[in-house]
């Protein structure tokens, strides 16, 4: 098995890649059968973007903080762990953002696409689902469209629901909604096309973010799941992503 090791810039991850590379050898990503990612969830997202069109699975070891997408770090019997790991298929969200100046920019997100105010002024957002206006005006700090894998990230911090991987559902969650104050968001089918239009955007500038790509001063953002593209992430048995999503809902 040809392994490509990649590591975050932290001291612990860099120490681990030196040990593991000497022990098991390392090849360039494009020549690998599997990529072993050493770091935290943020570095895992970066790695998933790197391998998106290479059809190479990624196995993470947690040398970060939370490590929701990672496995327990262990230098022993790595080939056996990789051979027995269970795959989870992740489809990214595709974001098409149009700026106030008419420029069209795109991004992909395995966690979420979110809008967020750029100044002290709240954002005003019209929400359309599959061409139908569902909310004429949401006054808020922002709004999140999350994947099931990303439902435990920013979406959860904003009090959005945790979604199992197999549910084919996308959470739509407001961030600090002012009006309508009691609106807690919605659960959408994964086939939904979400259009977010910024109202009064000159006075209330808003940014759009797809994972780690940020676009400032957006006028309109369209979000939908890209079913033609995917990344594969590997987990140790009994420690898969679906199990983690369920377990996270019972954390005190």
């Amino acid at each position: 098995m040809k392994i490509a090791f990649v590591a975050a810039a932290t001291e612990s991850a860099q120490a681990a890649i030196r040990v593991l590379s000497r022990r098991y050898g390392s090849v360039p990503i494009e020549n690998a059968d599997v990529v072993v990612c050493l770091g935290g969830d943020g570095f895992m997202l970066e790695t998933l973007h790197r391998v998106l069109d290479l059809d190479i699975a990624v196995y993470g070891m947690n040398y970060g903080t939370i490590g929701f997408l990672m496995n327990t770090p262990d230098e022993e019997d790595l080939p056996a762990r990789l051979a027995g790991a269970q795959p989870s298929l992740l489809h990214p969200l595709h974001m098409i953002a149009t700026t106030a100046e008419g420029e069209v920019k795109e991004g992909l997100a395995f966690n979420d696409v979110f809008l967020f105010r750029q100044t002290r002024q709240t954002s005003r957002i019209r929400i359309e689902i599959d061409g139908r206006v569902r909310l004429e005006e949401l006054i808020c700090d922002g709004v999140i469209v999350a994947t099931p894998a990303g439902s435990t990230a920013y979406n959860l911090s904003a009090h959005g629901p945790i979604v199992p991987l197999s549910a084919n559902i996308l959470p739509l969650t407001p961030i600090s909604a002012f009006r309508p104050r009691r609106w807690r968001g919605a659960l959408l089918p994964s086939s939904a096309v979400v259009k977010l239009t910024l109202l009064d955007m000159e006075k209330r500038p808003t940014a759009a973010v797809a994972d780690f790509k940020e676009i400032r001063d957006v006028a309109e953002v369209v979000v939908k799941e890209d079913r033609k593209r995917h990344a594969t992430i590997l987990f140790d048995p009994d420690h898969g992503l679906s199990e983690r999503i369920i377990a996270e809902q019972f954390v005190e």
Side-chain angles (χ1 to χ4, degrees):
M1 182 181 295
K2 294 180 290 184
I3 304 172
F5 290 99
V6 294
T10 61
E11 184 177 340
S12 60
Q14 287 297 310
I17 195 173
R18 288 192 292 270
V19 172
L20 290 165
S21 295
R22 283 196 302 267
R23 184 166 182 177
Y24 298 106
S26 184
V27 301
I29 286 180
E30 57 270 18
N31 298 330
D33 298 314
V34 63
V35 175
V36 174
C37 171
L38 312 173
D41 288 336
F43 188 67
M44 170 60 84
L45 288 176
E46 293 180 25
T47 304
L48 291 175
H49 281 271
R50 288 179 65 184
V51 305
L52 179 57
D53 294 317
L54 299 178
D55 196 26
I56 303 173
V58 181
Y59 179 92
M61 287 192 189
N62 186 25
Y63 289 92
T65 305
I66 304 300
F68 186 80
L69 298 174
M70 316 300 282
N71 298 285
T72 303
D74 190 344
E75 298 170 9
E76 301 299 322
D77 299 322
L78 181 57
R81 291 180 70 186
L82 294 174
Q86 299 174 344
S88 291
L89 211 63
L90 305 181
H91 294 284
L93 296 175
H94 182 206
M95 175 187 75
I96 303 174
T98 304
T99 69
E101 295 181 351
E103 188 176 1
V104 177
K105 300 183 179 182
E106 300 183 41
L108 294 173
F110 286 102
N111 251 6
D112 47 47
V113 171
F114 65 89
L115 271 57
F116 198 83
R117 62 187 177 95
Q118 294 175 200
T119 69
R120 61 183 177 82
Q121 298 275 11
T122 57
S123 296
R124 298 193 175 205
I125 304 169
R126 181 169 63 240
I127 300 176
E128 296 177 51
I129 310 297
D130 294 329
R132 180 175 176 181
V133 176
R134 292 293 185 176
L135 199 55
E136 192 63 49
E137 183 180 60
L138 172 65
I139 305 175
C140 58
D141 281 353
V143 65
I144 304 167
V145 182
T147 66
S151 68
T152 58
Y154 193 10
N155 172 74
L156 181 59
S157 298
H159 307 291
I162 296 175
V163 176
L165 280 181
S166 59
N168 291 319
I169 287 174
L170 305 177
L172 175 67
T173 302
I175 305 170
S176 301
F178 180 67
R179 289 287 187 275
R181 188 166 298 181
R182 289 187 170 82
W183 188 65
R184 299 302 182 189
L187 292 173
L188 307 175
S190 59
S191 60
V193 178
V194 182
K195 182 179 177 181
L196 306 168
T197 303
L198 280 302
L199 310 174
D200 198 13
M201 60 185 177
E202 291 185 5
K203 181 181 178 182
R204 304 169 186 274
T206 299
V209 180
D211 279 355
F212 42 78
K213 181 174 183 178
E214 179 176 334
I215 301 169
R216 309 282 284 183
D217 300 313
V218 295
E220 177 186 289
V221 175
V222 176
V223 183
K224 58 182 178 181
E225 189 178 72
D226 188 345
R227 300 294 297 183
K228 295 181 180 179
R229 308 178 79 180
H230 72 271
T232 302
I233 188 167
L234 300 174
F235 291 98
D236 292 330
D238 301 322
H239 204 49
L241 189 53
S242 292
E243 167 59 26
R244 293 185 185 200
I245 289 174
I246 293 172
E248 186 69 24
Q249 298 175 80
F250 294 90
V251 174
E252 295 182 1

